[in-house]
Amino acid sequence: MNTLLKFFYLLISFLLTILTNACVTTDDFAVPEPEPTIVTMIGTKVTIGALKNQFDFQSEEIITYSGTNTYIEGYVISSDEAGNFFKELVIQDLPSNPTAGIQIIIDKRSLYQKYDLGRKVYVQLDGLSLGLANGVLKLGKLQEKSIEAISEFEVENHVFRTPEVKKIVPRKLTIKELNSNVESLYVTFSNMQFAKELLEDPSKTLAGTATDRFQGERELQSCATQESIILSTSVYADFKSLSLPPAKGSVSGILSKDFFGKYYILRINSSRDLMFHQSTRCDLEYLSCGINVLQPRTTVLFEEDFEKITKDKQLDELGWINVNSHGDDKRWGNKKIRNVANRVMTISAFNSGLNPLEAWLITPAIDMDQTTDEVLSFEVQTSFNNGKALTIWVTNNFTGDPETTKWVPLDIAIPQKNTNNVKVSPFSISCLGGKIRIAFRYKGRDPGSTSTYSLDNIKIYGASK
């Protein structure tokens, strides 16, 4: 009898197990891909670098491969598991120290299940086309003079999964090294932090703010050079609602361009790519004179509206210094605004070919010993803004060379989005004495941050002693 009861209980347990497993949906457990077989490619192998070199960036003419019997090989560096990549596969030529990468557009979700990170793949080129899409060189299908995604049913005719999986080691990079040669590589930037002004908004997340439409774009600054790159996060990413880390550290991701192909961005596979574990930050020590409004400020120490400035020589005669730190002719220039009776000083790195473009516009010497409670004000306009490039500095010990002068930065908020003229609120410089100079430094890059800025109505005024 006991034996029969034991058998009965075992049978019930077995049946319950079967019923429980039958209720599990495929949404809870992904169907594993079968182990890949050895792939033997027939034809001629070309490197990813050689493939990209075939493209003419001047004409931007799309290349379609047919009857070439050629293929490329590479290692997968993108993952759509967390939702920050969508229907695209990015591969590079080597798992470490890569030299070239390429994006492949594929009309298929959950690519990570078959083409996981570090997986070696072969890509058969015949039937595919190479061209620019959103400013980045990509492989896909030619449809009506544009590069479109490979259909889900054609993927296995072009992208072959091998048994080999390697650890992907990010290539170390600095912002000044950004160029088309390192696009679509898995890279890492060290000694970085999110911009201070972003952290002043406690609700700011990677891409979960109400103003984020398709991507959240957040400025990452280099502690070494104060230059920046944009971290772009999809609003569909699993980690979109993570708060911005206040510390500094390193970030790894794939170098790409924004939707309009105007400037470089970094895209991460998961939140683990953000490694901000150093508690101290590297914010600049800004000039802080406090707020002092003891007397009415009626004495103008310096004023310039640029209305009479039509040539660089006129600036020189007034004691201004307008110089490119790297000796190039490109610097701040005078411009008359169309349909407005107004002249401004303006600058942009766009189409300059300069990487970097560093130009200083420095005021004449201004005597601070005859007044008190001095403040600085000016108007600034920005357009085609794709990254912070303008900063404001002051010194009372000018050496004659901006590169050897010890400057103190001013914590003045410069518009980060396209604006009409914005008047900067009077900023106190009253704790300075002697003869000072104010410098407007533009540091942009082409390609990279090419934002356009215009300056007008610069004024320093205070109260008589």
Side-chain angles (χ1 to χ4, degrees):
M1 184 66 179
N2 289 338
T3 303
L4 288 174
L5 283 173
K6 288 181 180 179
F7 176 79
F8 176 77
Y9 290 138
L10 287 173
L11 180 60
I12 293 298
S13 298
F14 177 73
L15 291 174
L16 286 173
T17 301
I18 292 177
L19 289 172
T20 302
N21 289 336
C23 293
V24 177
T25 66
T26 55
D27 290 336
D28 297 322
F29 295 94
V31 178
E33 286 287 337
E35 284 300 313
T37 57
I38 301 298
V39 178
T40 302
M41 296 297 291
I42 300 174
T44 303
K45 182 177 75 174
V46 296
T47 65
I48 296 176
L51 174 77
K52 297 177 74 170
N53 287 338
Q54 295 173 5
F55 188 78
D56 186 347
F57 285 90
Q58 296 297 320
S59 66
E60 297 186 0
E61 183 177 351
I62 294 175
I63 301 174
T64 298
Y65 296 91
S66 177
T68 65
N69 200 24
T70 56
Y71 66 93
I72 59 173
E73 68 176 26
Y75 295 84
V76 176
I77 57 172
S78 63
S79 173
D80 58 3
E81 183 174 9
N84 205 31
F85 287 84
F86 182 67
K87 294 186 176 183
E88 59 185 314
L89 195 66
V90 189
I91 64 173
Q92 64 185 30
D93 54 0
L94 296 168
S96 61
N97 299 315
T99 62
I102 191 74
Q103 294 187 25
I104 308 167
I105 315 174
I106 300 173
D107 189 18
K108 181 178 172 64
R109 299 171 184 266
S110 301
L111 289 167
Y112 77 94
Q113 293 181 2
K114 184 169 184 177
Y115 307 110
D116 45 327
L117 199 65
R119 178 75 61 179
K120 183 177 180 179
V121 297
Y122 295 113
V123 182
Q124 178 65 50
L125 295 176
D126 284 340
L128 300 182
S129 295
L130 179 70
L132 288 176
N134 305 115
V136 178
L137 202 57
K138 300 182 181 183
L139 277 171
K141 284 286 186 175
L142 179 62
Q143 293 183 19
E144 298 182 359
K145 299 182 179 180
S146 66
I147 299 295
E148 302 296 339
I150 304 169
S151 73
E152 182 175 356
F153 307 104
E154 294 182 283
V155 175
E156 294 189 358
N157 295 331
H158 292 285
V159 184
F160 301 94
R161 177 174 177 250
T162 76
E164 184 178 338
V165 179
K166 293 286 189 179
K167 180 181 178 181
I168 300 298
V169 180
R171 174 172 165 174
K172 294 181 180 179
L173 207 64
T174 61
I175 294 175
K176 69 179 181 180
E177 295 174 312
L178 299 183
N179 58 63
S180 59
N181 293 328
V182 291
E183 282 180 14
S184 301
L185 292 184
Y186 190 66
V187 300
T188 188
F189 295 93
S190 60
N191 204 16
M192 303 289 288
Q193 65 182 21
F194 283 96
K196 178 184 175 182
E197 51 267 29
L198 293 177
L199 300 176
E200 292 172 352
D201 180 358
S203 67
K204 207 73 169 178
T205 60
L206 289 175
T209 307
T211 55
D212 297 321
R213 291 294 181 261
F214 300 101
Q215 291 87 26
E217 295 195 335
R218 307 292 184 256
E219 182 185 356
L220 278 168
Q221 296 176 338
S222 165
C223 288
T225 65
Q226 298 302 309
E227 295 175 295
S228 61
I229 187 172
I230 297 298
L231 178 71
S232 181
T233 306
S234 170
V235 296
Y236 299 103
D238 292 350
F239 49 86
K240 69 174 184 179
S241 297
L242 289 180
S243 299
L244 302 182
K248 67 178 181 179
S250 62
V251 54
S252 299
I254 297 172
L255 188 66
S256 188
K257 283 190 174 180
D258 73 298
F259 180 79
F260 300 101
K262 298 296 184 182
Y263 52 90
Y264 285 114
I265 61 171
L266 191 68
R267 302 167 65 193
I268 61 177
N269 286 317
S270 74
S271 59
R272 293 187 298 275
D273 290 326
L274 293 173
M275 294 159 283
F276 288 72
H277 306 309
Q278 302 175 44
S279 58
T280 57
R281 288 176 57 85
C282 58
D283 297 315
L284 294 173
E285 294 186 12
Y286 292 99
L287 178 73
S288 177
C289 295
I291 300 175
N292 49 355
V293 287
L294 302 179
Q295 303 179 52
R297 299 181 178 95
T298 57
T299 302
V300 176
L301 286 76
F302 175 81
E303 189 172 18
E304 181 58 72
D305 61 9
F306 303 110
E307 293 305 313
K308 297 180 180 179
I309 307 299
T310 58
K311 298 179 182 178
D312 287 346
K313 184 178 179 181
Q314 293 171 302
L315 278 176
D316 297 339
E317 292 171 350
L318 293 173
W320 284 82
I321 295 174
N322 185 14
V323 63
N324 184 303
S325 294
H326 302 275
D328 193 86
D329 292 335
K330 180 69 174 179
R331 48 187 179 167
W332 288 86
N334 184 265
K335 180 180 179 181
K336 185 175 182 179
I337 305 299
R338 291 181 181 179
N339 304 321
V340 179
N342 188 33
R343 285 188 175 274
V344 298
M345 295 299 292
T346 186
I347 192 169
S348 172
F350 182 69
N351 274 347
S352 68
L354 299 178
N355 193 343
L357 164 56
E358 183 176 354
W360 296 76
L361 182 64
I362 306 172
T363 68
I366 302 162
D367 190 353
M368 299 281 285
D369 290 337
Q370 307 304 313
T371 54
T372 62
D373 298 326
E374 299 90 350
V375 293
L376 163 70
S377 70
F378 59 90
E379 293 180 6
V380 60
Q381 178 180 353
T382 179
S383 55
F384 307 104
N385 196 300
N386 58 14
K388 184 178 179 181
L390 177 63
T391 48
I392 319 299
W393 306 76
V394 65
T395 185
N396 56 5
N397 189 22
F398 187 59
T399 65
D401 181 355
E403 295 298 312
T404 60
T405 297
K406 183 177 180 180
W407 296 95
V408 179
L410 303 184
D411 192 11
I412 296 177
I414 303 298
Q416 297 299 299
K417 296 182 179 180
N418 299 339
T419 64
N420 293 322
N421 272 19
V422 172
K423 186 174 182 178
V424 172
S425 299
F427 184 88
S428 177
I429 53 174
S430 60
C431 53
L432 297 172
K435 293 184 178 180
I436 71 164
R437 289 179 184 256
I438 303 293
F440 300 86
R441 187 188 74 170
Y442 181 92
K443 193 168 186 179
R445 296 184 181 278
D446 183 23
S449 176
T450 60
S451 302
T452 299
Y453 294 94
S454 298
L455 290 174
D456 200 8
N457 297 323
I458 301 170
K459 185 178 181 180
I460 297 177
Y461 53 101
S464 299
K465 287 187 174 179

